């Protein structure tokens, strides 16, 4: 309040200089940063490929990997493989999230079940997928070629979605629920009118993370023997057995791109479904 | 303000909290032996000591007091959000349950509690949806213009200022055309100027559409300006310290707040709240 008169002077004197520096940075559009990042990564990769592991060729040069993206034969095989993996991942994503959401809603309506639900979620999260994968492949593998891929994909997204959904359902402002109850609404009415909607931002945050997780689960199951011949996981096994480094790098890139696309797509859906989260919906007057 | 003035104007009109005396006239809010104990594990906190309070139908009662004095507890019991440990609470001769069943209750809180995904009009419609009532054509538009928000029907809460949001909350409170209104510090989170303006509007709306009203507040001036009766509460345990009838003529205009009579009531209530040492700086 009663600050000495000199104190505002110093920052004011320093600010034009600093402000100028930041203005210069701010003038650069954000995508430039992204491009610079990519260029740096490719440069480091290129240098590494030319200097490290010359004997084994573990690090292929960027052109040898990127070239595969422009090879028509390679492409159709990859599309075919990716189709299988994405299909299993999508199915697992659907089931895992569905079970998770149903579980979260049940817990909200019947609070005593929470301890049990937490246990299920934590157990599903703690068991390493690589450890339980072979078991599931044996159980599901024979009759349903991609059954284990679906199960592992479902398991990978189950935990995050359960937690995200529960957090979201609880995020509903107390007052909004009080309001519904004061007007004679039931717990169910409050759930329908308030909680299901206010859960969406948190649920979508979880669903976004669940998309790459489900893909990882599916490809891992395939790597462990599930899913038949035309899958990305099987392609990785084939490339690995031939020590085909460029092919492995290429498959890793393809997997990363698919995974990222899943993340971005769920994010876009979230923006469409929950437009109110982008605005300033925090009450300005609230304490 | 001197003591003699107070005694002449306000002091002599103080009601008692004697249950029998209150019960006779309690055609509006009628609270008998109301008590609330919150138990948290082994500990229990008495939020509200045995309380009696009565008002007439369509009168405006304010519960005034510091936080933790149980004023919100009374409101929440009347709203059916808490069950009393002992005692009864009737409004207009009927139980909370009956009032809720017949959709006669309107409520507003300190937070506007608007649903951010709904438009202004849709937020105002919410109590009707919960009640399963189809609004008469034009009702929502009327309410929007009543609270001075015409043109904002399709706006989302995120686009509104704090004061505008509370206006929506008041319109929503009126959607069921209530005979009972419960207001829990409705303008408590707003800046002083907005709050002044909304109090004047609330008074206008309440005069147009009378309802038995209970407002919880810690604003002394706003309690005097709006109320027929102010019940001053004190904490630990929450109880009613004194009931003061505000015998100022209606309709009340903003100018009333500059009259000596008004200030006598404000001073008297400050005295009950804080003792004769004088009003603290944060009293509104």
């Amino acid at each position: 309040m009663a600050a000495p008169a000199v104190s505002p002077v110093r920052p004011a004197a320093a600010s034009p200089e600093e402000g100028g520096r930041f203005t210069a940075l701010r003038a650069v559009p954000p995508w430039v940063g992204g491009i610079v990042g990519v260029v740096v990564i490719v440069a480091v990769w290129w240098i590494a490929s030319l200097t490290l592991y010359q004997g084994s060729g573990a690090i292929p040069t960027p052109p040898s990997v990127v070239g595969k993206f422009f090879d028509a034969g390679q492409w159709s095989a990859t599309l075919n493989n990716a189709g299988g993996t994405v299909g299993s991942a999508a199915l697992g994503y659907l089931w895992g999230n569905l079970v998770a959401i149903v579980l979260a809603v049940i817990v909200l309506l019947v609070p005593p079940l929470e301890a049990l639900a937490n246990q299920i979620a934590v157990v599903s999260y703690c068991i390493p997928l690589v450890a339980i994968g072979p078991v599931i492949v044996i159980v599901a593998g024979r009759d349903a070629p991609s059954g284990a891929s679906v199960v592992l994909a479902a398991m990978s997204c189950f935990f995050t979605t359960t937690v995200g959904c529960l957090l979201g359902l609880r995020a509903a402002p107390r007052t909004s629920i009080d309001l519904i109850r004061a007007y004679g609404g039931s717990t169910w009415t409050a759930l329908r009118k308030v909680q299901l909607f206010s859960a969406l931002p948190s649920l979508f945050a979880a669903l976004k993370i669940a998309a790459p997780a489900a893909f990882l689960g599916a490809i891992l199951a395939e790597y462990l023997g599930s899913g038949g011949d035309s899958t990305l996981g099987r392609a990785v096994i084939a490339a690995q057995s031939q020590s085909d480094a460029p092919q492995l790098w290429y498959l890793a890139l393809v997997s990363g791109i698919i995974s990222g696309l899943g993340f971005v797509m769920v994010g876009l859906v979230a923006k469409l479904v929950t437009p109110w989260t982008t605005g300033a919906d925090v009450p300005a007057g609230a304490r | 303000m001197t003591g003699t003035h107070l005694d002449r104007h306000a002091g002599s009109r103080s009601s008692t909290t004697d249950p029998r005396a209150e019960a006779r006239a309690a055609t509006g809010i009628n609270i008998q032996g109301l008590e609330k104990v919150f138990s948290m594990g082994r500990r229990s906190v008495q939020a509200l000591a045995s309380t009696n309070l009565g008002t007439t139908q369509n009168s405006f009662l304010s519960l005034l007091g510091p936080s933790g004095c149980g004023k919100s507890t009374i409101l929440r019991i009347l709203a059916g959000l808490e069950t009393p440990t002992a005692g009864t609470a009737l409004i207009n001769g009927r139980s909370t349950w009956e009032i809720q069943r017949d959709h006669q209750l309107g409520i507003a809180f300190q937070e506007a509690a608007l649903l951010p995904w709904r438009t202004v009009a849709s937020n105002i419609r919410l109590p009707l949806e919960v009640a399963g009532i189809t609004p008469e054509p034009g009702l929502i538009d009327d309410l929007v213009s009543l609270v001075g928000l015409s043109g904002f029907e399709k706006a989302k809460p995120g686009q509104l200022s704090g004061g505008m949001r509370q206006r929506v909350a008041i319109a929503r409170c009126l959607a069921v055309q209530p005979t009972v209104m419960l207001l829990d510090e409705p303008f408590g989170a707003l800046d002083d100027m907005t709050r002044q303006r909304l109090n004047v509007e609330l008074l206008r709306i309440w005069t147009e559409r009378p309802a038995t009203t209970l407002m919880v507040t810690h604003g002394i001036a706003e309690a005097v300006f709006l109320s027929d009766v102010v019940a001053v509460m004190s904490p630990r345990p929450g109880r009613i310290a004194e009931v003061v009838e505000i015998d100022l003529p209606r309709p009340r205009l903003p100018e009333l707040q500059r009259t000596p009579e008004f200030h006598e009531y404000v001073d008297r209530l400050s005295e009950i709240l804080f003792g004769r040492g004088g009003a603290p700086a944060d009293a509104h």
Side-chain angles (χ1 to χ4, degrees):
Chain A
M1 286 299 211
V6 273
S7 96
V9 173
R10 257 186 21 204
S15 72
E17 198 184 309
E18 244 164 81
R21 210 182 301 157
F22 283 123
T23 315
L25 267 181
R26 231 180 282 125
V28 177
W31 51 265
V32 170
I35 287 186
V36 168
V38 169
V39 167
V40 167
I41 288 172
V42 170
V44 170
W45 173 11
W46 211 317
I47 293 166
S49 70
L50 295 176
T51 52
L52 303 171
Y53 307 111
Q54 286 298 307
S56 66
I59 304 179
T61 57
S64 68
V65 174
V66 174
K68 289 182 179 285
F69 282 93
F70 300 98
D71 177 343
Q74 182 75 250
W75 249 117
S76 68
T78 305
L79 273 183
N80 199 19
N81 290 341
T85 306
V86 168
S88 311
L91 206 57
Y93 182 75
L94 207 71
W95 278 111
N97 290 326
L98 192 69
V99 174
I101 291 168
V102 167
L103 186 72
V105 170
I106 288 175
V107 165
L108 192 79
L109 293 175
V110 193
L113 288 179
E114 179 167 6
L116 179 70
N118 272 337
Q119 232 164 20
I120 295 173
V122 169
V123 165
S124 83
Y125 184 66
C126 288
I127 296 178
L129 289 177
V130 184
I132 198 160
V135 178
I136 294 172
V137 170
I138 290 176
V139 172
R142 315 271 177 228
D143 302 325
S146 59
S149 316
V150 174
V151 171
L152 277 197
M155 280 184 69
S156 327
C157 50
F158 174 73
F159 176 77
T160 42
T161 305
T162 307
V163 172
C165 191
L166 261 180
L167 279 180
L169 288 169
R170 297 233 171 92
R174 189 70 237 161
T175 328
S176 296
I177 295 170
D178 279 349
L179 192 85
I180 301 284
R181 284 180 52 214
Y183 284 111
S186 60
T187 311
W188 178 242
T189 314
L191 183 73
R192 264 189 317 127
K193 298 275 182 200
V194 179
Q195 280 152 303
L196 284 187
F197 289 93
S198 52
L200 288 178
S202 169
L203 176 63
F204 270 111
L207 288 180
K208 258 197 318 202
I209 301 169
F215 185 75
L216 172 70
I219 209 167
L220 182 69
E222 289 159 5
Y223 189 75
L224 295 169
S226 159
D229 289 331
S230 41
T231 64
L232 284 175
R234 190 55 61 91
V236 170
I237 295 176
Q240 200 182 19
S241 66
Q242 292 159 17
S243 299
D244 187 347
Q247 178 73 358
L248 281 172
W249 279 65
Y250 162 76
L251 288 171
L253 269 180
V254 167
S255 303
I257 289 167
I258 294 174
S259 230
L261 274 180
F263 184 86
V264 168
M265 270 164 56
V266 178
L268 286 179
V269 172
K271 254 188 195 157
L272 281 177
V273 177
T274 60
W276 67 88
T277 53
T278 49
D281 58 336
V282 182
R287 299 182 291 191
Chain B
M1 291 301 132
T2 64
T4 42
H5 273 93
L6 287 170
D7 291 339
R8 191 152 48 79
H9 284 282
S12 58
R13 293 195 176 90
S14 297
S15 311
T16 64
T17 51
D18 173 42
R20 275 156 302 174
E22 296 294 337
R24 252 180 276 127
T27 52
I29 287 165
N30 182 4
I31 290 169
Q32 298 283 322
L34 201 66
E35 224 178 305
K36 178 68 185 179
V37 178
F38 288 104
S39 347
M40 287 164 274
R42 261 177 250 162
R43 291 195 314 153
S44 63
V45 177
Q46 186 163 32
L48 192 63
S50 184
T51 298
N52 303 299
L53 189 63
T55 66
T56 54
Q57 189 160 6
N58 290 348
S59 64
F60 198 117
L61 166 70
S62 286
L63 297 181
L64 180 68
S67 25
C69 69
K71 52 194 196 307
S72 286
T73 307
I74 293 183
L75 182 135
R76 290 178 65 82
I77 290 172
L78 288 174
L81 298 172
E82 307 280 357
T83 42
T85 313
T88 56
L90 298 177
I91 315 175
N92 298 349
R94 304 156 80 216
S95 71
T96 293
W97 181 81
E98 287 171 304
I99 291 164
Q100 274 175 343
R101 180 198 59 194
D102 298 341
H103 314 303
Q104 300 278 299
L105 180 95
I107 194 165
F109 298 98
Q110 179 174 355
E111 309 93 72
L114 304 180
L115 302 179
W117 53 89
R118 285 174 169 248
T119 61
V120 164
S122 172
N123 264 295
I124 295 174
R125 209 185 299 120
L126 181 70
L128 295 166
E129 276 177 33
V130 173
I133 299 172
T134 316
E136 298 158 31
L139 171 69
I140 303 298
D141 289 341
D142 287 350
L143 288 171
V144 170
S145 66
L146 183 72
V147 296
L149 286 177
S150 296
F152 288 95
E153 291 86 351
K154 292 201 163 63
K156 293 279 173 68
Q159 301 164 294
L160 304 180
S161 71
M164 289 163 94
R165 280 183 212 151
Q166 282 303 344
R167 287 169 186 267
V168 179
I170 295 295
R172 180 183 57 194
C173 167
L174 298 167
V176 293
Q177 292 164 312
T179 57
V180 176
M181 265 167 64
L182 303 175
L183 309 171
D184 194 350
E185 296 188 38
F187 310 130
L190 301 177
D191 63 274
D192 223 34
M193 280 162 83
T194 313
R195 180 183 170 128
Q196 284 273 359
R197 208 167 49 229
L198 285 186
N199 276 332
V200 172
E201 296 226 9
L202 176 63
L203 189 62
R204 170 181 65 81
I205 291 166
W206 181 81
T207 312
E208 275 177 43
R209 308 173 172 222
T212 304
T213 302
L214 173 79
M215 180 173 81
V216 163
T217 181
H218 49 236
I220 297 173
E222 110 185 344
V224 173
F225 183 59
L226 295 168
S227 311
D228 296 307
V229 182
V230 177
V232 182
M233 299 191 66
S234 61
R236 280 176 289 277
R239 69 203 142 77
I240 289 174
E242 203 160 338
V243 177
V244 177
E245 274 182 47
I246 308 298
D247 196 6
L248 294 171
R250 289 188 189 272
R252 295 177 187 169
L253 298 169
E255 292 77 52
L256 177 74
Q257 300 180 64
R258 292 198 294 268
T259 62
E261 290 82 6
F262 182 85
H263 285 282
E264 278 170 29
Y265 279 114
V266 170
D267 289 350
R268 171 157 173 68
L269 290 171
S270 308
E271 235 175 72
I272 299 170
L273 274 171
F274 311 110
R276 275 184 188 270
D282 65 343
H284 293 291

